[in-house]
Amino acid sequence: MSVSPIARVKTVAFSGIEVIDVDVQVAMTGGLVAFTIVGLPDKAVAESRERVRSALAALGLALPAKRITVNLAPADVLKEGSHFDLPIAVALLVTMGILPADEVAAFLMLGELGLDGTLAPVSGVLAAAFGAVERDLGILCPAPCGGEAAWASPDLPVLAPASLMDLINHMKGTALLPRPRAELAEDPRRPLDLIDVKGQESAKRALEIAAAGGHNLLMVGPPGSGKSMLAQRLPGLLPPLSPREALSVAMIQSVAGQLADGKLTRQRPFRGPHHSASLASLVGGGHRARPGEISLAHHGVLFLDELPEFARATLESLRQPLETGRVTVARANAHVTYPARVQLVAAMNPCRCGFLTDPARTCGKAPRCAVDYQAKISGPLLDRIDLHVEVAAVSAQDLAGPPAKEDSAAVAARVATARAVQAQRFTGMSIATNAEADGDLLTAIARPDAAGQSLLTEAADRLRLSARGYHRVLRVARTLADLAGRGQVSRLDIAEALAYRSRTGVG
């Protein structure tokens, strides 16, 4: 095998969940002995020369006493992360005549090297694998990421060695590597069940409606009334992720480095950030513009407990993503868009002490305490929440009573039926639930009967509903009709939908 003066291998850089082609070029020339990486590398990439040098030494290979230049093209794209280790090492092995250039050229590769030559997992392998499919290439990645890459396509060639030595042996034909298997993750946790919740029938009804139509939900009630308990049981009412949704969710988790063992799951995400969360952690950002909680909850539930305790600017940053289903993180060195189609579930006390509505424990600063506390949440944000429901304190009689009559399975069956109706309604469209319908489509699918339209018009004037609030009432009414098996929205559906916008008095 001849030594090549310049070797080229293919890898990628990441912009959100999109991939950018990067050509790794390695040249060995005469002159002062050096090992230089150019092409706008960050510190992790610049340090890869030491990891590569040590990994090759662990194989008994020494770098030639030449001037080694590694160019990461295009030079105007910032290269971030340790996944450039493997392509740099492979390009060096090609230059040294140890690996065949023609076989290496058929793969897009990424991976981090240990000092002993082993390959460590990196983030973004699933996105890179989809990029490889589009470019008609195979993918070369660390063994722990092989199953993740295999999800991109059953026809995608996947090489997942555990070390550089395994890769060399495979390329030489002495120990061929099997193709990794795409696997689903198993959740060992017992699913939380609605049967554990005593009382709170109106809140359970609102939870069912929210699950059926993908609607945002706000629960207001005193401490200990079960708001968090109810929210945590919402995922058990939702249908499993479709294959397309599961891949979309996994793509974000992969870029964020949170796809455990490279296994996908059909369970919808449930994210519950603490109220001290920063704006960047919630919507995305930081030095590398990473996805935030709202993107990690894509196609799932974002639960914000103690809603008024979040910073005002942090809450306001949710307004656009809740409408558009995506979030754009703009920074001086990055402009990245992540998907963020979430179902927002929020919980809050009626006032700072929490006992505004409890006659036995009257709030001493009412009503000013409630006004100031609720004013922390803007009207435009509240307008984006379809269902407002009061969660009253649970009485001792309810606690001592028998378990609830319905478990999550019974409610989930009704939700699945309503979701099936919506799936048929939105066939061929980019939306899946009533909560996403808008414009002429919403007008067509949620037109109420004459009595319902009359009630809605009168209520819109009395409640001073905004145009957004008006349309959200129609969306909820459409979901209520789906749950009841009605083809057209009725006055009864409009009346119940209106009740969920006026019951709490918040906003």
Side-chain angles (χ1 to χ4, degrees), residues 302-322:
L302 177 65
F303 176 48
L304 302 184
D305 201 4
E306 308 295 348
L307 186 65
E309 301 297 338
F310 283 81
R312 180 68 175 259
T314 301
L315 290 180
E316 293 304 295
S317 67
L318 298 177
R319 286 162 52 177
Q320 183 184 13
L322 289 176

Side-chain angles (χ1 to χ4, degrees), residues 191-197 200-201 203-214 217 219 229-241 266-268 270 301 343 345 406-420 422 483:
L192 301 176
D193 202 298
L194 272 180
I195 205 167
D196 300 328
V197 182
Q200 307 300 7
E201 297 305 320
K204 290 178 184 177
R205 170 66 172 169
L207 204 65
E208 178 179 345
I209 298 166
L217 170 66
M219 294 180 284
M229 193 175 185
L230 286 160
Q232 291 164 358
R233 280 149 181 78
L234 178 57
L237 307 182
L238 298 171
L241 292 166
R266 297 288 302 276
Q267 293 185 333
R268 294 187 179 270
F270 181 90
V301 178
Q343 186 170 358
V345 177
E406 278 194 325
D407 59 8
S408 288
V411 179
R414 294 196 295 270
V415 169
T417 301
R419 287 282 185 125
Q422 293 167 68
L483 283 169

Side-chain angles (χ1 to χ4, degrees), residues 352-387:
R352 183 169 294 280
C353 70
F355 299 108
L356 179 72
T357 57
D358 188 347
R361 305 175 68 175
T362 305
C363 175
K365 297 181 180 179
R368 190 66 189 174
C369 175
V371 172
D372 291 344
Y373 194 63
Q374 295 175 12
K376 293 183 176 183
I377 309 169
S378 69
L381 178 60
L382 287 170
D383 218 19
R384 288 166 167 79
I385 300 178
D386 303 345
L387 303 166

Side-chain angles (χ1 to χ4, degrees), residues 250-339:
M251 190 89 76
I252 299 169
Q253 293 173 337
S254 175
V255 170
Q258 297 188 14
L259 190 59
D261 301 322
K263 296 180 179 180
L264 270 66
T265 178
R266 297 288 302 276
Q267 293 185 333
R268 294 187 179 270
F270 181 90
R271 307 290 298 192
H274 190 262
H275 58 74
S276 62
S278 66
L279 189 150
S281 69
L282 197 62
V283 301
H287 176 64
R288 297 178 62 185
R290 308 291 288 185
E293 291 291 330
I294 194 169
S295 294
L296 293 170
H298 182 53
H299 289 315
V301 178
L302 177 65
F303 176 48
L304 302 184
D305 201 4
E306 308 295 348
L307 186 65
E309 301 297 338
F310 283 81
R312 180 68 175 259
T314 301
L315 290 180
E316 293 304 295
S317 67
L318 298 177
R319 286 162 52 177
Q320 183 184 13
L322 289 176
E323 284 291 306
T324 63
R326 61 182 182 275
V327 59
T328 300
V329 181
R331 295 292 183 269
N333 63 343
H335 192 87
V336 178
T337 298
Y338 289 106

Side-chain angles (χ1 to χ4, degrees), residues 34-88:
F35 188 167
T36 307
I37 299 177
V38 297
L40 208 59
D42 74 346
K43 188 169 180 60
V45 181
E47 290 174 346
S48 67
R49 61 176 176 264
E50 302 303 329
R51 293 191 292 272
V52 170
R53 192 194 306 272
S54 177
L56 294 180
L59 301 181
L61 300 172
L63 290 175
K66 295 185 177 182
R67 185 176 185 85
I68 300 172
T69 304
V70 178
N71 180 39
L72 307 177
D76 60 344
V77 174
L78 179 64
K79 317 305 186 305
E80 299 177 307
S82 59
H83 68 271
F84 291 95
D85 289 3
L86 179 59
I88 290 173

